[in-house]
Amino acid sequence: MLLDADAPSADAPSDDPFFDPPEDPNILLARFFGALAARDAERLATCYHPLATYSSPVFPDLRGALPAAMWRLALARATDLRIDWDVAFADPRKAQVKWTGRWREGAAERRLAVASTLSIWDGRIVRHVDEFRFPAFAAQTVGLSGRLLAWNGAWRRRLQRRLRARLEEEARAGALAAGEAAGWDNRAP
């Protein structure tokens, strides 16, 4: 292939404001799933773009700092975590990954099979959509009532609201703790 001397190379910076760095998405995926397997919520949070959104059957619309807070909350409760993941498709802008998480919460063993679609921008995840069976999640999280009621839309929305409120409370507490550690004065004037 003959290259035009005046044409920018693929590695050259571009004046295009929508230019995405040509980072190999497999590096980002290995960083993300490695952090997940290591239960390293802080490293996992660095994989997300500041404008990131996250959606799943449990949390239909998380934005900003909430996707990272969700992982912090989930990983704080899980012990003996094992992650098996397989990249179905990846290019510099999008990846599809099928993964299974196995962990313990107290004495109970948990397992969840997930299909993730990740949109990548500036080498980080800007949109993350997880798909999994909500009834399986509800049965493991709530128990028998979750298994029986997971098909009821009103019950499902109530559980989503309850978990979202808990997540937002944890995120606020974490932000306050981070601010105090940084020396911010969080008291009202």
Side-chain angles (χ1 to χ4, degrees), residues 22-94:
E23 182 176 338
D24 180 357
N26 291 304
I27 295 169
L28 175 64
L29 297 174
R31 187 180 320 141
F32 181 86
F33 286 100
L36 184 59
R39 296 180 53 225
D40 186 345
E42 298 311 313
R43 188 167 45 125
L44 193 127
T46 66
C47 295
Y48 282 102
H49 192 278
L51 300 174
T53 63
Y54 174 87
S55 180
S56 75
V58 178
F59 295 109
D61 184 32
L62 299 181
R63 297 175 181 277
L66 288 179
M70 183 268 309
W71 287 114
R72 283 186 196 96
L73 184 63
L75 293 176
R77 298 179 59 188
T79 60
D80 193 26
L81 178 63
R82 293 178 313 281
I83 302 291
D84 298 314
W85 57 286
D86 183 47
V87 177
F89 169 82
D91 71 22
R93 294 185 189 268
K94 190 172 195 172

Side-chain angles (χ1 to χ4, degrees), residues 144-155:
L144 181 60
S145 62
R147 181 178 304 279
L148 297 173
L149 296 171
W151 304 101
N152 180 300
W155 184 87

